[in-house]
Structure formats: C-alpha cells, structure tokens
Amino acid sequence: MSYNIVSLPGDGIGPEIMSGSLEVLQLLSKKFNFEYTIEEHDFGGVAIDHHGSPLPEDTLTACKNADAILLGSVGGPKWTDPNNRPEQGLLGIRKTLGLFANIRPTTVTDGTSHLSPIKEAKVAGTDFVIVRELTGGIYFGEPKHWNQDQALDSLTYTKPEIERIAHVAFKLAQKRNKKLTSVDKENVLASSKLWRQVINNVAQDYPDVEVNHLLVDACAMHLITNPTQFDVIVTENLFGDILSDEASVIPGSLGLSPSASFSEQGTRLYEPIHGSAPDIANQNKANPFGMLLSVAMCLRESFDEEQAASHLERVVYQLIKDSKTTSDLGGHCTTTEVFQSVKANI
C-alpha cells in the first residue's frame, strides 16, 4: 500500500517544522514497512507571493487527489490586503474539500503536568478532545460586508450542519469515556438555541453517552479551573476556534497541539494549531511537537498505521518528560536538535 500525501509547508515556522517532520516520517516508513509519496505545493502567504492567490488551482487539485494533507502554518504580518489574505486559503480548502469536522486533542501526559501554567494538581490527567464544526457559522455566513463605517458578519447554521458534527462527536465519545459536553450561547444567540435543540435530538441515538450543556463563557472558565472533567467537547466554529486555543496551553505550550480536519468521505487534513509564529521564524526555535503529533494522527486516522503512530507519540512524550525540548517547554534545544533526538529514538 502506497499513500499519496500532499505537503503544504506554508508560512512562518511552517517550512522548518515540516521538513524535519517529513524526515521523521521517512524513518517511520522504513521501520514499519509502509510506502508513500510526497507532493509539495505552495499555500497561504507564500502562494500569494508566487501565484497571486493563497490557494492556487494546482494546489487545490493536488489536495483533492491526495490521501492526506499535512499543513505547516499559514499567515503573517507581511500580507495585509484584506481581500487576499493567507487565511482565506485555509477557509477555501476547508470549504472546497468539505472539511467540516476539526478534532483537537488536549493531553497532559505522566510527568509533564509541571510544564502547565496552571497548578499541577488541576491539570494532571487531563485528556479531552474538542470537536469543532469547521465550515459553517460566522466565518462563512452570508451576508458579510465591511467598510470604514460599518461591518456585518452573519452567524448561520442549519439543522443538517449541526447534526453531522454532532454524530462525529457522539461516536468519538462512545470510543472514549462516554461523556459529551456541548458548548453554545443558548441564552443569547438564536443559532445556539437551534444548536442545543439538535444536540438533544441526536443524543437520543446515543443513550450510552452522558450529555452536558455549557455556555461558552462558563466552558472557558471550567477549562482552566477543572479541565479533567471533560472527555469530548463539541461546539460551533467560532467558539471552537477560541476554546481550542485556550485548551492548547494546558499541557504547557501552544506548540504541543495537533489537529485533524475530516470530511464525510475523502481527504483529511492534519496540522498543528499553533500558527505561523513569525516572531521566531527561521531562528531554529520553533517547537515541532505539534507537527509531529499531527503526523501521528495522520498515520493513525488516514492510513491505519497504528504501530507507527503510537511509536512516534511515545517518543515525543518521552522527550518532553526528559526536558529535551525547545524553550517554550523549558528546554534548551533548537528545532534541529529536537528533530535529531526524535530520529535517534526511532
């Protein structure tokens, strides 16, 4: 079996963390005996520079034909045209490929709770997943316009959009600890009233899953004060964007969190959630663990290479435990040195 992977290094620290991660992937393929091809394409700001668009047609075509997509990061202060931003490429690829479900795990592994900015006693044992709806809501709603005096964004959801993300979350909860927390703003927003109603209806198909509802502001508080209470969190696009970034610092660094974006059928996209970090780009300071853990998710979810995925995750978590990390996790290693340690342990 040979897998067709499209690599989108993107902007900022993206090329640094991507190149080393692909070297790790090559070692894993030899160790666990699987084959793949890599096709690299411009995406985001670099694509604007080279092609005038953040999502060139040949990049999109390659992504449509791929078995999986690995994305580094997108964006930076260099690209300021509001009508042609790197992030529009990300929204475009999500919409075109139907990547409606974003899965973002947050895990505090044994021996690493001291790295969290929150008290160790509160975060030890944290292990939950945020399921974020990715192609609806205020980012895509119409009408949308802005000028110097007025702006309008529309927050819209339909029943089928909510149902399909709900089924993803409930099925995931069934495989974990059978607890689902749905997050909305039902006391204020009409879209959230529909959201809660649909979640409750879908819940009838999953009687073994305990369902709890939280308002988004309360959830933001509980993520900090009692993160171990959560198993699977499901929420809409904007709330999921904010909450998952908040959750990502619980293990100690934004650079630790991977993510996967799924369609109903077809290509899946894997990326760390940390962004392009232009302030440290090309300085050999970037934490590559989020990218590496995204590769592990890719191996498991798209290619069913469970042994390779688990091995890579164990290597990453052991290096964190041994403080062989970049400075954001209290270590003294460069990006290159972290990759060297990962490869040595594979």
Side-chain angles (χ1 to χ4, degrees), residues 1-7 35-41 61-70 267-268 298 302-303:
M1 186 70 181
S2 181
Y3 309 117
N4 175 25
I5 302 172
V6 166
S7 166
E35 296 181 356
Y36 66 94
T37 59
I38 286 283
E39 191 175 328
E40 182 176 308
H41 286 269
T61 299
C63 289
K64 288 178 179 177
N65 294 326
D67 294 316
I69 304 163
L70 296 176
T267 306
R268 296 178 174 185
C298 175
S302 283
F303 304 147

Side-chain angles (χ1 to χ4, degrees), residues 183-294:
V183 176
D184 57 39
K185 191 64 176 171
E186 189 265 351
N187 60 335
V188 175
L189 299 177
S191 59
S192 284
K193 295 182 190 302
L194 177 63
W195 182 278
R196 186 172 294 201
Q197 175 184 304
V198 172
I199 293 291
N200 285 332
N201 289 340
V202 173
Q204 297 175 29
D205 296 334
Y206 303 89
D208 56 330
V209 176
E210 175 190 341
V211 179
N212 181 39
H213 297 278
L214 271 181
L215 298 177
V216 62
D217 42 350
C219 183
M221 177 185 68
H222 283 287
L223 280 175
I224 298 303
T225 57
N226 186 18
T228 58
Q229 71 180 283
F230 296 110
D231 181 28
V232 174
I233 298 171
V234 62
T235 191
E236 58 101 73
N237 205 343
L238 176 61
F239 297 162
D241 194 359
I242 296 168
L243 291 176
S244 58
D245 275 11
E246 179 190 14
S248 70
V249 302
I250 293 172
S253 171
L254 189 66
L256 278 177
S257 296
S259 76
S261 299
F262 296 176
S263 60
E264 292 187 77
Q265 291 182 337
T267 306
R268 296 178 174 185
L269 184 147
Y270 301 88
E271 60 175 319
I273 75 168
H274 50 55
S276 62
D279 55 319
I280 60 169
N282 303 310
Q283 296 178 41
N284 210 17
K285 295 180 178 179
N287 180 350
F289 287 142
M291 186 75 244
L292 287 167
L293 292 172
S294 296

Side-chain angles (χ1 to χ4, degrees), residues 53-188:
S53 166
L55 181 56
E57 195 60 39
D58 64 333
T59 299
L60 184 57
T61 299
C63 289
K64 288 178 179 177
N65 294 326
D67 294 316
I69 304 163
L70 296 176
L71 171 62
S73 58
V74 174
K78 176 181 178 181
W79 301 280
T80 58
D81 182 352
N83 297 311
N84 195 26
R85 294 185 63 87
E87 294 81 3
Q88 290 168 346
L90 195 54
L91 297 179
I93 202 169
R94 289 172 182 169
K95 198 70 173 178
T96 303
L97 298 182
L99 303 175
F100 74 94
N102 184 241
I103 313 297
R104 296 187 175 188
T106 296
T107 306
V108 178
T109 55
D110 290 343
T112 64
S113 57
H114 67 283
L115 297 171
S116 177
I118 306 171
K119 292 179 180 178
E120 287 187 56
K122 290 185 180 294
V123 301
T126 295
D127 182 7
F128 63 83
V129 177
I130 294 179
V131 179
R132 169 189 169 193
E133 200 291 322
L134 206 57
T135 57
I138 202 164
Y139 292 165
F140 294 95
E142 296 291 345
K144 181 190 298 283
H145 75 260
W146 74 279
N147 56 40
Q148 298 303 315
D149 300 310
Q150 188 180 47
L152 171 67
D153 292 295
S154 299
L155 172 48
T156 62
Y157 268 107
T158 64
K159 181 180 176 182
E161 286 178 313
I162 303 170
E163 284 177 333
R164 67 179 182 175
I165 194 68
H167 283 295
V168 170
F170 274 103
K171 289 174 182 176
L172 183 59
Q174 283 184 319
K175 296 177 182 177
R176 291 172 51 89
N177 296 316
K178 296 182 170 56
K179 290 174 58 180
L180 184 137
T181 302
S182 177
V183 176
D184 57 39
K185 191 64 176 171
E186 189 265 351
N187 60 335
V188 175

